[in-house]
Amino acid sequence: MESPSESSVVFLAVDDPVARAEVRDALQRRFGADYSIVAPPGADAAAVLGSAAATGATVALVIGDDHDPALFVRARRLFPDVRRCLLIEWGSWAEPATETAVLALMAANRIDYYLVRPTRSPDEYFHRTVTEFLLEWQRATGAHPVGLTGLGTALPDSTVDLAIVGAGPGGLAAAVYAASEGLSTLVLERGAIGGQAGSSSLIRNYLGFSRGVSGAELAERAYQQAWVFGARFAHGREVTGMSPRGDSSDAFLLEVGATETVAARSVVLAAGVSYRRLSVPGLAPFVGTSVFYGASAVEAKAQTGRVAVVVGGGNSAGQAALHLARYAASVSLVVRSASLADSMSQYLVDELAAAGVGILTEAKVVGGIGTGDRLDHIVLRDRPTGVDSRVRCDALFITIGAAPHTGWVAPEVLRDPWGYVITGADVLGEGGRRAWPHERNPAPLESSVPGFFAVGDVRRGSVKRVASAVGEGSVVVSSVHAFLAELVG
């Protein structure tokens, strides 16, 4: 029986000896210098995997066939960050049995994706897929530092064509398209690149990423793409006020911090939102230690063996609960409504059920109890009956809605009562010609101030999806071009 070495392990659990030897050799040639390739006979796989955990080894990737699907569950339980893939033959995805197996295992959250058995040597498609799995594992464990180039805080002395406030998905998309089309582009971001989406552990339904992609990776890729096209970034710089373009000025003036300013001919607001807080007695002392706002992937590992509760019914809440389920002894989702169907994507609802996440409907958190700096129980109220009950909770993750970052925006920019920027035809619908006294109608993403646009979650009527924010960020650039053309025409 083979034993894993001290290095990180790529674990191969394939029953067919010919396929096992072929895949093992392919892995050894390409990855053997950095990983231990462990490939026991199928009958011994479960025992060897348990031995790896007992000896303190780290298993990065499990490649298995369908002879023992429970092995994938055991692997995740022993190694929460492990990546798991089903080995299939080339072309077998067209066979009903293989299709059923892959879809069933993915729906049950037992595998991350499939891997096609190598058909030649070298098979670069095979090696690329394995490399991507290992990179995902490194990101999950923190072993892959984010190498962002162009990090700076300086503000330009000259007027830019476009200032983008916020570097979430919408702002990054606008930066890519604006810079690639020749506009001098500045992105101001007060916090982390990626915004709220950057904290998502896995976005499964973003186009082009069939295995899913972490919010951090998506943000890093978009940032590098914008930077290569020439977009400038001012990190850690908060926009605190603005002066709209006047008759005597050809630019907006954005106030940055307490004393600095940036001049821009046009502005795209992509500042996103902040999670709303729970006004619940007993929770405040534990914020940051066992009460967290947002879907924090960073805090998930610390919940190994603990009881975690997530509050919220949206996709971010579902993603947080799924990620926590890798580590925590149990995870429950507290939802105010009677079901998740109206607020969460169906694939997430299915995966929550498969992962064993408890769904507590028609309930709300009304109290917190703990000792020292840690929470140990919450008080839940059943909304139909009003009855309170104490529920074990070592960590509480709150994702209950958000407020837009628009407090600094000039009053000329029309907003709804909650602070979301009104754009496009809604400007005329809400404020009429008094809000828009101009000959042309506002562009689809334009606010009541010409040349000031809003995209993503900060805009009223946004879909609150990463793909939607990216779409708006790319589309808005055509309107920016049209507006800038007006200035010189």
Side-chain angles (χ1 to χ4, degrees):
M1 183 182 297
E2 299 181 54
S3 298
S5 71
E6 293 182 358
S7 61
S8 299
V9 174
V10 174
F11 193 90
L12 184 62
V14 175
D15 206 32
D16 179 5
V18 175
R20 184 169 66 249
E22 180 182 282
V23 177
R24 180 196 60 209
D25 292 347
L27 292 169
Q28 187 66 45
R29 286 192 299 271
R30 185 62 62 92
F31 303 99
D34 299 308
Y35 295 87
S36 292
I37 311 302
V38 178
D44 299 332
V48 175
L49 191 66
S51 175
T55 57
T58 300
V59 176
L61 174 63
V62 170
I63 302 170
D65 56 21
D66 57 1
H67 81 277
D68 183 14
L71 187 72
F72 294 122
V73 178
R74 179 171 172 77
R76 174 55 60 81
R77 188 166 59 247
L78 294 173
F79 307 98
D81 293 312
V82 72
R83 292 307 185 255
R84 307 156 300 166
C85 57
L86 179 71
L87 186 72
I88 67 173
E89 298 293 331
W90 190 93
S92 66
W93 52 79
E95 299 173 2
T98 300
E99 178 186 2
T100 299
V102 170
L103 296 181
L105 288 170
M106 288 196 68
N109 201 28
R110 292 190 170 190
I111 63 172
D112 297 291
Y113 209 59
Y114 62 84
L115 175 66
V116 179
R117 179 177 168 182
T119 59
R120 61 182 66 85
S121 182
D123 187 330
E124 298 302 343
Y125 182 83
F126 171 84
H127 292 310
R128 185 187 75 176
T129 306
V130 172
T131 298
E132 288 175 349
F133 276 122
L134 294 174
L135 178 59
E136 290 170 9
W137 169 78
Q138 282 194 338
R139 288 181 182 275
T141 59
H144 173 75
V146 177
L148 295 179
T149 55
L151 292 173
T153 61
L155 301 176
D157 296 326
S158 58
T159 300
V160 297
D161 292 325
L162 175 62
I164 300 169
V165 183
L172 290 170
V176 168
Y177 280 84
S180 69
E181 294 174 16
L183 299 181
S184 58
T185 304
L186 173 69
V187 183
L188 301 111
E189 172 54 58
R190 66 175 189 166
I193 296 294
Q196 178 183 320
S199 66
S200 293
S201 57
L202 187 68
I203 303 169
R204 277 279 311 277
N205 59 351
Y206 190 77
L207 184 67
F209 292 88
S210 54
R211 293 196 306 277
V213 60
S214 72
E217 180 183 357
L218 188 64
E220 180 186 347
R221 290 187 180 204
Y223 172 87
Q224 297 286 9
Q225 191 175 14
W227 181 83
V228 166
F229 279 126
R232 293 181 59 179
F233 285 79
H235 297 267
R237 307 307 298 267
E238 183 175 7
V239 179
T240 56
M242 63 171 283
S243 298
R245 176 194 313 280
D247 294 337
S248 61
S249 172
D250 67 345
F252 293 91
L253 205 60
L254 299 180
E255 300 168 20
V256 182
T259 60
E260 296 181 270
T261 58
V262 167
R265 296 182 182 89
S266 60
V267 176
V268 168
L269 177 60
V273 296
S274 291
Y275 278 108
R276 299 186 187 279
R277 302 282 173 168
L278 268 184
S279 300
V280 172
L283 292 184
F286 309 112
V287 172
T289 59
S290 50
V291 174
F292 307 97
Y293 284 90
S296 175
V298 176
E299 297 295 341
K301 280 189 180 182
Q303 312 314 322
T304 299
R306 292 175 172 165
V307 175
V309 176
V310 179
V311 180
N315 278 9
S316 58
Q319 290 164 354
L322 279 177
H323 190 60
L324 283 164
R326 296 183 179 183
Y327 306 95
S330 72
V331 180
S332 298
L333 190 63
V334 176
V335 187
R336 290 176 61 89
S337 61
S339 87
L340 291 172
D342 294 334
S343 58
M344 187 178 293
S345 296
Q346 187 59 44
Y347 84 87
L348 275 174
V349 176
D350 295 339
E351 289 188 358
L352 289 170
V357 173
I359 311 297
L360 306 176
T361 58
E362 295 189 283
K364 65 179 181 178
V365 177
V366 295
I369 305 165
T371 55
D373 63 351
R374 293 207 61 89
L375 190 71
D376 54 52
H377 286 81
I378 56 173
V379 179
L380 283 185
R381 178 166 298 162
D382 182 75
R383 297 184 67 220
T385 65
V387 175
D388 292 349
S389 59
R390 283 175 46 141
V391 175
R392 168 78 184 277
C393 176
D394 300 316
L396 183 66
F397 292 78
I398 302 168
T399 57
I400 55 168
H405 293 297
T406 59
W408 57 270
V409 174
E412 290 88 342
V413 176
L414 191 63
R415 282 159 283 172
D416 69 12
W418 297 273
Y420 291 92
V421 175
I422 296 172
T423 57
D426 288 346
V427 171
L428 292 173
E430 291 283 337
R433 285 296 171 183
R434 191 169 187 173
W436 183 266
H438 310 286
E439 291 185 8
R440 68 171 176 87
N441 288 336
L445 298 168
E446 195 168 22
S447 74
S448 57
V449 174
F452 191 92
F453 304 85
V455 301
D457 291 356
V458 75
R459 186 181 68 82
R460 191 182 75 171
S462 66
V463 180
K464 305 295 189 295
R465 293 288 188 272
V466 172
S468 176
V470 169
E472 291 179 8
S474 59
V475 168
V476 75
V477 175
S478 63
S479 296
V480 171
H481 274 296
F483 174 76
L484 294 177
E486 286 180 9
L487 295 184
V488 297

